[in-house]
Structure formats: C-alpha cells, structure tokens
Amino acid sequence: MTRNDAVADLLAEMADRLDAMDVEYKPRAYRRAAENVRGYPEPIDRLASEGTEAVGEIDGVGDAIASKIVEYVETGSIDELEELREDLPVEIDALTSVEGVGPKTVGTLYEALEIRTLDDLEDAAEAGEIQAVKGFGAKTEQNILAGIEFARQAHERQLLGEAVPLGESARSYLANHPSVEAVEVAGSLRRWKPTIGDVDVLVGSDDGERVVETFTDWDEAETVIEAGETKASLRVGSVRVDLRVVAPEEFGAALQYFTGSRDHNVALRNRAIERELKMNEYGIFDVSEVEEPAGGQRVGKRVSGETEASMYAALELPLVPPELREGRGEIEAAAAGELPDLLAERDVRGDLHTHTDWSDGDNSIAEMIGAAAAFGHDYLAITDHATGPGMVGGVGVDDETLREQIGEIRAASDDADIEVFAGVEANIGEDGSISVADDVLAELDLVVASPHAALSGDGTDRLIAAAEHPLVDIIGHPTGRYLNRRPGLTIEYDRLAEAAADAGTALEVNANPRRLDLGGQAVRAAIEAGATIVIDTDAHRPDSYEYIRYGVHTARRGWAEADDVLNTRDSGGIRGFLD
Ligand code: DGT
Ligand code: CA
Ligand code: CA
Ligand code: ZN
C-alpha cells in the first residue's frame, strides 16, 4: 500500500464515520477526496511538505481536508478522526464489509444494540434482535447473517486490480538491478485470476543473495516475512509478495511451473511422462536411459528449460497463454492445433458503458469524451444511471432529465474527435422489466440494462426477459456480483446466451476490478452458446478507462477471440449492431 492509499483509507474512514453519525454533506466530500488522493500520481508526502495550499491543488480537496492530510503526514494521526473513533467505538471497516450494512446502519445498530464488531453483529442477528430494531425486518436480518459469512471467508484474497499494479511495480524495480537477467510475475496474477492469494515474482540470476537483498530493501516493503538465499517473502499492505531466484538457464522452466495452475501442470507432467520425459521446475529431462527417473531433480539429459516456449515445444505443444492454464481442456486444444486466437488489449476500440456527473460519475460529458479520445478510443457511449430499483439517494436520471441529457450528449458529440453514442444504464426489475419508458429508450443510440437490486437467487429468466426487450442492446454486469462481497445472481449461461444471441443483445464483461462480471468461465459458456460479448469499464471517472485491460484478460480467460467481442468493431460496426 502506498502512502496515498493509506491517506485515502483514512479519509474514507472519516467519511464512513461521519455518515454513521448522520452528518450531512461532509461524507460525500471526504469520499471524493479519498478517491482523488488514491488516484493522485505524485506521493502525497511531497505535497504535504509544501503545505496545505499545495495539497488543496488535488481535485476535490478543500482547505479543511487538506489541513487534515497535512496533520496526518506531520503527526501520524488526525485528531478529528481519533475523536470520531471514540464517539463511535465500532469496527466500521469490518462491519461495512457486510453486504447491505452501510455506515448509517452501523450507526443505528450501535445506538440501538451497541454493536461494535462482526461478532456482535452475528450474535445479535442470531438472537433475532436486529429485526426488532425500527427500520429492520426479518429479511434484512437474514441477509445480514448471510453477508457476515461471505465477508468472513472472502476477506483474505486480493482483487486483481490491486495486485497487478503491485506486481508490475515489483517487476520494474527488480528489472533495474544489474544482477537480474530476467524477471516475471508468475502465479494466479499472470493467469489474471479475479482474486489473488499472493503475488509470485520470479527472477533469473546467478546471484540470488544480492537479488534477495535488493528485494528486501524495496521501499514498498512493509514487513520482511522471511529471507533466504534464493527466496524471500514480503508484506506490502495486506498483500504477500513471494520472490524466487533461479539460474537463468532454468528460468523458463520455473516460470512455467510457478505460473500454474496446479491442474494445468499436472496434465503437462503426465504428457511428459508419456514421452519418457521428466518435467519439473528445473527443466525437461530425457530420462529414457535413466533407471530411477524419480530419484533426482536434474537427472538424465536436459532437453529444455531456458524459455517457457521451449518447455511447451519439448512436449510438442505451442505455448499456451497463461489465462488458459486452468486445466480445462487447453492442453488437448493445443495438441490439436485448436487454441483460440485470443483477443488482445489493442483490439478494443471503444467503451460502451460509462457515467458522468449527470448520475454518480465525477466528470462532465465533455470531460469523459475528451479523456476517452486521449486514451485512444475511437468511440464512447455515455450511459448514466436511470432511476429505478437499486438506485439509492437520488442517483439516477429520470426520463425527462434523460431526454434533456440526450440533447447535451449530441451537442458535445458535435465537438468531439471520436464518435459518441447517447445511452443509458437502465435497471432490470425483479420481473425483468426495464426502468425507462420505451419512447425514451427509442431516442437513444444504445441501452445498457443491468441488475442493481435483488441480486440473489437464479436470474436467468429475469435477464432473458431484459435481453429480449427490443430496445435493450447490452446486459451490463449480468450477475451483479462484487468480488469478496456478494456472489450475485446465479445464471444458466447457455440459456441466457442463446436468448441474447437471438435477440441481438450483447453480454457484458464489466472490467471494473471489483466486478469482473461476467467472469472467465461464464464468458466461455456464453461464447459457446453463440453470444456476443462486450467489454466495458463502467468508468465513473477518466482514470477508470485503464480498467479495460482487466476486462480483456478476463475475456481471454473465457477463450474469447476478437470476433466474439462487440467493441473490437469500428464505429460503423457498432452502429450496425445497434440498428
Ligand atoms: P493464489 O496465489 O492462491 O492466487 O494461486 P497461485 O496459482 O498463484 O498459487 P501459489 O501462489 O500457491 O503458487 C504459484 C504456482 O506455483 C501455482 O499456480 C502452481 C505452482 N505450485 C506451487 N506449489 C506447487 C505444488 O506443490 N505442486 C504443483 N504442481 N505446483 C505448485
Ligand atoms: Ca500466488
Ligand atoms: Ca505464492
Ligand atoms: Zn451498473
């Protein structure tokens, strides 16, 4: 965790605590400041050393919040936060990690039942005390119980979107060191799994001790968990980073081994055995003349090991892309020459689900368009939230406002260098209905429909009904899951995909790292059943356009080729799909 993240976490905690105490307006300001500090490209300490005014240069950070940041950087704490912690002595982070429990609920439950911790919350829910509190019911109490369980088991794994930047930072730090000949991030991160147990970094070098020393000196390291001659582990924030150093001529073998998955490696090793080869993290060895091949690590005649491609080649296979290495038929496909020609990041040409300050985004229509052009997109759809189920606090635009916004989008589009589609993100009701009137939908270029409420149980029929609505073009984040927080709807993907394909509706891979929805296996099932996939960031600010790559790699985990994905087409192709 960087210092900016640490400061952002404290500001977010301030926001939650103020919210829990029913303070108005301030929570929103603190939350916005937290996001902007988190996304700020320079270290906050440097600004803070120049004083309050310099910190106030950050978007959304006014004098009051700037002085709190300076106070924290100078003294290590914020007085007002300490007071808030005393006034409301609750574990707000743990409690709000339960789906359906927001800061306001935490405040209410503390007042009514003195609930401070997850254990308190669980005890009270089990004793039926929560449904007795005004504003709560038996159903809410049941949801809280289910949410506690999910929050408990989920909290240890890191989101891909948090781990990837950390892995890249470790990689470029080590790459600069003279005794490092090769460095790659391996493990689940290289396979782009949606959540990550730990980050595995692999170095090829003849000087393990110096590399380990360099690694443990890394200024992002907070704790050195262990350090040996060729291995070390660090903690950075809540993430564990493992380093292994191997001889350069064995780098490819180690990279293959430590990329995993275990299932993929087991299947490969069996293929090796069939060929009288021994395969391990040191290389592939011809053991046809060895009496006891199980005996040693490096036995027989070395066949390959320096590059990963040579490892696969020794088994008469093309290199299998890491996203496919899950033991789900990829080796058979590789052997048959039937690996998919996977979609690449550069294939994506635009973003078809984004928000502005007309709903809960941070930026104007023009700013979002300009940033999309700067990002390199050829087109952009503006799809603000419509009012409806799941939109709390007056976030969505009603039909009349939406009509007005269409005019604004068309006007902004006249000045834009890229093609702009006027859209909406409508809500899908529990019965599959769409929360915007048909005559308004008909005026739009593009309609995303997404589930935002009632996100449990089987959603197949509900989503099919939405997909079959003649004016709906995209089903957004179909399951509605939040990684580590709620599993979302259960879906029969083949049925949904067939209906969507027939109706000409695309299914989204929402690239926001908190969602990655659809996930890889769902994408694969949907493509096999004939659906068109679309990859969107759901950006609420320009920074989030970067998330697109998480969506691309998630689609690659679903064996997606460029042709399977709507927004690899040019803007004419998009128009053709929408008509
Ligand atoms: P994670 O960290 O839980 O998200 O998942 P991975 O896949 O990164 O697993 P990790 O960090 O335990 O180990 C990295 C890779 O190393 C793993 O994908 C496969 C390989 N590996 C580690 N230990 C073993 C093992 O005992 N047997 C086999 N076949 N492979 C292993
Ligand atoms: Ca790992
Ligand atoms: Ca590991
Ligand atoms: Zn949404």
Side-chain angles (χ1 to χ4, degrees):
M1 188 160 66
T2 67
R3 284 281 277 184
N4 294 28
D5 285 327
V7 171
D9 285 351
L10 290 180
L11 296 176
E13 185 186 340
M14 293 272 298
D16 281 354
R17 288 186 180 276
L18 290 164
D19 220 357
M21 301 181 81
D22 257 338
V23 177
E24 284 190 77
Y25 308 116
K26 274 172 115 182
R28 207 185 137 93
Y30 272 93
R31 226 160 256 141
R32 184 165 143 76
E35 282 318 299
N36 289 331
V37 167
R38 202 181 297 284
Y40 198 74
E42 306 285 325
I44 195 86
D45 295 45
R46 192 149 83 224
L47 280 184
S49 70
E50 292 170 26
T52 307
E53 213 169 296
V55 178
E57 295 286 293
I58 302 175
D59 254 8
V61 176
D63 286 351
I65 298 181
S67 69
K68 300 266 183 321
I69 295 175
V70 172
E71 181 188 349
Y72 172 70
V73 171
E74 285 177 355
T75 69
S77 65
I78 301 173
D79 272 349
E80 191 186 339
L81 178 58
E82 297 305 323
E83 281 163 26
L84 288 167
R85 284 172 175 167
E86 273 172 38
D87 293 345
L88 191 75
V90 299
E91 294 179 5
I92 197 145
D93 242 30
L95 289 169
T96 55
S97 72
V98 176
E99 173 64 17
V101 177
K104 288 209 165 34
T105 306
V106 171
T108 309
L109 291 177
Y110 179 76
E111 285 296 308
L113 302 170
E114 282 201 32
I115 289 173
R116 297 167 188 243
T117 64
L118 268 190
D119 284 340
D120 293 348
L121 184 67
E122 188 167 34
D123 291 346
E126 276 171 354
E129 287 167 9
I130 289 178
Q131 54 174 297
V133 178
K134 187 163 174 276
F136 294 77
K139 182 143 190 240
T140 314
E141 191 174 73
Q142 277 313 306
N143 286 343
I144 287 177
L145 264 181
I148 291 170
E149 202 186 326
F150 197 69
R152 281 227 166 92
Q153 37 164 293
H155 245 70
E156 295 125 51
R157 291 182 69 83
Q158 213 63 32
L159 296 183
L160 179 70
E162 294 162 349
V164 164
L166 179 61
E168 285 174 351
S169 169
R171 183 175 185 274
S172 54
Y173 168 67
L174 289 166
N176 283 329
H177 195 265
S179 48
V180 170
E181 292 190 22
V183 53
E184 288 292 347
V185 175
S188 51
L189 197 56
R190 186 159 179 250
R191 305 196 313 276
W192 297 82
K193 266 190 81 163
T195 64
I196 302 295
D198 64 7
V199 174
D200 302 286
V201 181
L202 189 70
V203 163
S205 170
D206 289 316
D207 193 347
E209 280 178 71
R210 286 202 53 195
V211 177
V212 166
E213 205 181 291
T214 305
F215 182 61
T216 55
D217 277 348
W218 188 29
D219 54 14
E220 287 191 39
E222 280 160 35
T223 321
V224 176
I225 301 168
E226 55 188 325
E229 282 174 26
T230 59
K231 276 165 78 162
S233 295
L234 305 176
R235 196 165 291 288
V236 181
S238 54
V239 190
R240 180 189 168 106
V241 185
D242 283 347
L243 168 80
R244 281 185 192 76
V245 187
V246 302
E249 62 275 17
E250 294 178 346
F251 184 79
L255 179 60
Q256 196 292 314
Y257 180 88
F258 290 110
T259 297
S261 68
R262 282 189 174 86
D263 289 349
H264 175 82
N265 287 354
V266 166
L268 268 190
R269 208 149 43 228
N270 288 337
R271 192 173 165 90
I273 291 166
E274 286 165 17
R275 287 168 173 67
E276 286 193 81
L277 297 169
K278 180 185 172 79
M279 175 174 189
N280 57 29
E281 61 198 278
Y282 308 103
I284 292 181
F285 303 88
D286 179 348
V287 287
S288 55
E289 322 238 300
V290 178
E291 278 185 23
E292 254 188 279
Q297 299 290 16
R298 300 173 178 90
V299 289
K301 191 167 133 272
R302 168 186 206 78
V303 178
S304 69
E306 188 162 355
T307 67
E308 202 176 39
S310 75
M311 296 289 287
Y312 284 90
L315 301 175
E316 296 167 272
L317 294 172
L319 183 89
V320 177
E323 293 95 327
L324 303 187
R325 300 184 195 171
E326 297 292 347
R328 300 199 179 111
E330 67 277 6
I331 294 171
E332 292 81 349
E338 284 167 5
L339 282 178
D341 180 11
L342 291 181
L343 162 82
E345 287 183 23
R346 64 177 174 278
D347 293 331
V348 171
R349 304 169 77 150
D351 204 329
L352 297 176
H353 176 176
T354 65
H355 297 268
T356 73
D357 54 11
W358 283 67
S359 63
D360 57 348
D362 285 350
N363 297 77
S364 67
I365 294 169
E367 284 166 348
M368 288 304 280
I369 295 172
F375 186 77
H377 282 323
D378 297 341
Y379 48 83
L380 177 76
I382 303 282
T383 58
D384 273 306
H385 285 290
T387 49
M391 286 303 115
V392 287
V395 157
V397 291
D398 57 27
D399 288 7
E400 198 188 316
T401 315
L402 183 53
R403 276 219 169 84
E404 207 183 300
Q405 194 195 11
I406 296 172
E408 297 277 329
I409 295 172
R410 303 247 183 266
S413 134
D414 289 340
D415 302 329
D417 299 329
I418 59 174
E419 178 131 15
V420 180
F421 300 106
V424 70
E425 181 180 15
N427 308 288
I428 303 176
E430 239 175 303
D431 55 359
S433 61
I434 303 300
S435 69
V436 177
D438 283 357
D439 58 334
V440 185
L441 294 180
E443 284 183 38
L444 294 159
D445 302 317
L446 175 150
V447 176
V448 179
S450 320
H452 289 112
L455 296 172
S456 57
D458 190 292
T460 313
D461 290 330
R462 176 181 176 191
L463 296 183
I464 287 178
E468 288 179 341
H469 189 295
L471 296 168
V472 168
D473 303 298
I474 291 171
I475 301 294
H477 50 71
T479 74
R481 77 174 176 183
Y482 266 144
L483 294 164
N484 285 351
R485 305 227 15 199
R486 68 176 181 226
L489 297 168
T490 313
I491 299 172
E492 293 169 51
Y493 290 106
D494 48 350
R495 269 215 300 134
L496 172 62
E498 269 174 42
D502 286 346
T505 303
L507 302 179
E508 182 179 81
V509 173
N510 189 295
N512 184 309
R514 280 153 40 109
R515 295 188 183 271
L516 299 179
D517 175 17
L518 301 175
Q521 280 181 271
V523 167
R524 190 167 172 197
I527 290 174
E528 272 170 16
T532 299
I533 299 296
V534 58
I535 303 172
D536 296 320
T537 63
D538 199 351
H540 285 64
R541 47 188 293 154
D543 291 359
S544 310
Y545 289 143
E546 304 274 350
Y547 291 162
I548 199 77
R549 62 183 179 142
Y550 300 118
V552 169
H553 290 280
T554 297
R556 285 166 61 94
R557 286 176 61 80
W559 296 48
E561 304 193 344
D563 280 353
D564 300 318
V565 177
L566 176 61
N567 50 329
T568 62
R569 302 183 193 174
D570 62 15
S571 60
I574 302 296
R575 288 236 175 251
F577 181 86
L578 296 175
D579 287 343

